[in-house]
Each structure stands twice: as C-alpha cells, then as structure tokens.
C-alpha cells in the first residue's frame, strides 16, 4: 500500500482567536499548514481556494472563520449569513470535489437553552437569534454537501487573543471595585488552545486513517468539562488572577439576572455541552478550563 502523503492543513479564519491558537499549535507540533485570513481571501472565493488546495496539496480544511458578534448579527443578518452559512457551503462543496475532510467549528447557540441536562449531539436544535440560525444553516449546508466532515460545536470560548469574556474581566478588575455579572446563564467555558489541539488531533487521526472505512464523521460537541455561570466564571478568573499577583485586589462580583441586562439577541439560559461522544470516538477529553485559566494567567 502506498504511503499517504504528508498532512497539510488549510486553516481559514486565521486571524480570529481560534485561528491564532491553531497557528500556535500547528507550529508547536511541526505540522505543515497554510493560514488564510479574511485579508488573504474570502472563504466564498472558490477560485482562489481551489487553486490553493490543488497547488499546495491540502489534505484537510479547518474552518475557523465565523461571524461571532451575537448581538450585532441581529442588525447585520446578511453579513452573518455570508460568513456563517455561505462560506461553509462553499468550503463543503470544495472539500467534496477534492475528497478531503472539512473540520468546521459551530456553537452552542444552535440550541434554545431550555434543557436542564447537558446537550448531546442528537438533541433537537432551535436557535433563538440570527447568529445561531446562521450557524445552524452552515452546519446543514455542510452535512448536505460534504461527504467527509466533522462539525465541532463549542461554547464560551476564551483565550489570550481577540475579544472575549476572560480579557474583558481582567480589564474591568483593574478599573472597578465592584461589577455585576449574569448569574442565571450556564455553560462550559472552553479554552481556544484546547479546541485547536482537539481539531488537530481529529485531523491527524482522519489523515493516518487508523481505519478510514469507519472514520466517524458527523457532529461532535467539545467544551469545558465543568459547567458554571458567567458569574462563577468571573469569580474563577479573579481568584486565579489575584493568586498570581496579576490584580492587586479581587473586585466584588454581584450576581445579576439576564432580565436586568437586556441584549438585542437572546442568550441560551443553559447551554452546557456534553463532550462524551468525542472522547469515546477520538479519545479527545473535554477541556479543563480552570487549568487553562491558570496557564494563561501565568
């Protein structure tokens, strides 16, 4: 049997927080890769992408490009659709044509948040806003047009890059003595560096094809192992930052209700994701966000 040629991953959305974490991980693991940011090419630009895949011998695409401004999406539905639905559709068709896997990142916002036990992959979807609706439409486009795909739903992403809750809290801790944080929304914080590791681990397994015939394509959940409220997450950030001497004092965090903080888009009240299926099929364990937090602050 001929040896499969070396893995060469194409990462779209390279400038986002996940894209930057993917670049860090791929460099650390010495994996051949090509990074594509919005500035380089639009993911809807199939002519550019087709040439890139053919010229570089791309073996899989990791799509980290997404429109993630949840509230802004309510007033920019066309833009959200272009990035979250049309883009994945274009990539799915390309991957099918070249017979390569597409690994795509989705979100807990495809659910309505009315459950009280962790969401599993087979649960009924029901997005409540434009962001979730466009992300779901992207998932559906991929499942219709790609033959080899992994859709990885994740949640509450934080990292050293971009804008996220973790960085906002650290900034506020230096500016304020007290702040109010929503305490009636529950989810699983997930470190983008762990998402990157998980995606690369899956891509590597698909590439070496330990058993290509039974490759487990489809939808998976990957998130933090421990559920918490935004209030609880803020407390954990301050506790760790204070312990490491990054902030001089811990601000008082007042628990507030979602109703007291109205936003254009409705947030799921409960969007805890179970990562059990991914652990079972690919041996990838849920993210330990407390450990990641400690490492990030160090």
């Amino acid at each position: 049997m001929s040896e499969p040629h070396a893995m060469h991953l194409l990462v779209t959305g390279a400038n986002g927080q996940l894209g930057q974490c993917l670049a860090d991980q791929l460099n650390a693991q010495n994996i051949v890769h090509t990074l594509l940011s919005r500035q380089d090419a639009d993911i809807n630009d199939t002519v550019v992408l087709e040439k890139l895949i053919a010229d570089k011998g791309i073996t899989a695409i990791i799509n980290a490009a997404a429109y993630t401004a949840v509230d802004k999406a309510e007033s920019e539905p066309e833009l959200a659709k272009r990035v979250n639905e049309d883009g994945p559709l274009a990539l799915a068709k390309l991957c099918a044509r070249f017979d390569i896997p597409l690994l795509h990142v989705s979100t807990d916002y495809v659910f309505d948040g009315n459950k009280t036990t962790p969401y599993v992959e087979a649960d009924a979807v029901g997005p409540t806003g434009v962001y979730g609706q466009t992300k779901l439409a992207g998932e559906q486009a991929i499942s219709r047009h790609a033959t080899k795909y992994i859709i990885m739903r994740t949640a509450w992403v934080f990292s050293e890059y971009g804008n996220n809750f973790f960085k906002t809290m650290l900034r506020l801790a230096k500016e304020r003595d007290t702040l109010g944080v929503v305490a009636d929304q529950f989810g699983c914080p997930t470190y983008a560096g762990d998402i990157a590791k998980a995606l690369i681990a899956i891509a590597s397994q698909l590439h070496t094809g330990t058993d290509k015939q039974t490759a487990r394509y489809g939808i998976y959940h990957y998130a933090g192992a421990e559920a918490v409220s935004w209030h609880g997450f803020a407390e954990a950030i301050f506790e760790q930052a204070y312990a490491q001497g990054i902030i001089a004092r811990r601000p008082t965090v007042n628990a507030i209700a979602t109703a007291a903080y109205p936003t254009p888009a409705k947030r799921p009240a409960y969007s805890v994701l179970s990562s059990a299926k991914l652990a079972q099929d690919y041996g990838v364990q849920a993210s330990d966000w407390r450990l990641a937090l400690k490492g990030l602050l160090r």
Side-chain angles (χ1 to χ4, degrees):
M1 218 183 113
S2 65
E3 278 294 295
H5 62 304
M7 182 163 79
H8 187 153
L9 300 176
L10 172 62
V11 175
T12 57
N15 284 351
Q17 59 172 334
L18 176 56
Q20 292 180 74
C21 285
L22 277 161
D24 291 346
Q25 283 299 326
L26 290 162
N27 287 327
Q29 296 182 41
N30 283 320
I31 292 170
V32 184
H33 62 279
T34 297
L35 302 174
L36 197 72
S37 71
R38 199 172 37 214
Q39 287 68 37
D40 303 321
D42 189 301
I43 53 170
N44 290 287
D45 193 341
T46 40
V47 178
V48 172
L49 285 166
E50 199 164 321
K51 185 170 169 20
L52 192 67
I53 296 168
D55 291 355
K56 294 201 178 265
I58 299 296
T59 58
I61 296 177
I62 297 180
N63 181 32
Y67 178 106
T68 56
V70 177
D71 288 321
K72 229 170 149 189
E74 296 298 312
S75 55
E76 295 184 340
E78 296 80 13
L79 186 57
K81 177 185 183 295
R82 181 170 170 77
V83 185
N84 293 342
E85 181 184 350
D86 302 349
L89 169 64
L91 292 174
K93 288 180 171 175
L94 271 177
C95 287
R97 194 176 315 153
F98 284 93
D99 193 33
I100 58 175
L102 172 60
L103 287 80
H104 171 77
V105 181
S106 193
T107 173
D108 55 329
Y109 277 73
V110 298
F111 297 115
D112 61 16
N114 293 333
K115 257 189 103 177
T116 50
T117 53
Y119 278 96
V120 294
E121 291 79 358
D123 280 328
V125 288
T128 58
V130 171
Y131 168 67
Q133 286 156 3
T134 57
K135 289 297 286 182
L136 178 59
E139 288 187 10
Q140 291 165 340
I142 290 169
S143 59
R144 272 199 309 273
H145 295 277
T147 43
K148 300 175 172 178
Y149 67 88
I150 297 284
I151 290 166
M152 184 191 277
R153 293 178 183 147
T154 189
W156 293 29
V157 182
F158 70 95
S159 72
E160 58 271 52
Y161 301 115
N163 298 316
N164 58 68
F165 184 81
F166 160 73
K167 287 173 74 176
T168 302
M169 287 301 115
L170 277 187
R171 189 188 77 241
L172 291 176
K174 291 170 182 171
E175 298 168 2
R176 300 188 198 170
D177 295 321
T178 59
L179 58 155
V181 180
V182 171
D184 56 359
Q185 287 173 27
F186 290 85
C188 300
T190 318
Y191 174 48
D194 290 341
I195 301 171
K197 280 184 192 159
L199 287 163
I200 295 165
I202 295 168
S204 303
Q205 288 183 48
L206 291 176
H207 185 74
T208 50
T210 18
D211 189 350
K212 277 227 170 88
Q213 303 321 308
T214 61
R216 297 174 176 93
Y217 294 111
I219 296 175
Y220 286 92
H221 290 172
Y222 180 79
E226 183 193 339
V228 70
S229 67
W230 286 114
H231 178 272
F233 188 27
E235 290 275 37
I237 294 167
F238 297 145
E239 194 180 316
Q240 197 50 243
Y242 179 71
Q244 294 194 31
I246 290 157
I247 52 175
R249 46 160 184 71
R250 285 163 61 173
T252 303
V253 188
N254 296 319
I256 61 171
T258 301
Y261 187 70
T263 54
K266 185 177 181 287
R267 274 28 183 199
Y270 180 94
S271 64
V272 176
L273 301 178
S274 163
S275 306
K277 182 182 164 194
L278 191 62
Q280 185 191 313
D281 288 5
Y282 284 94
V284 172
Q285 300 304 318
S287 168
D288 182 340
W289 60 263
R290 287 185 189 271
L291 191 68
L293 202 56
K294 204 178 267 189
L296 261 188
L297 289 163
R298 239 199 317 273

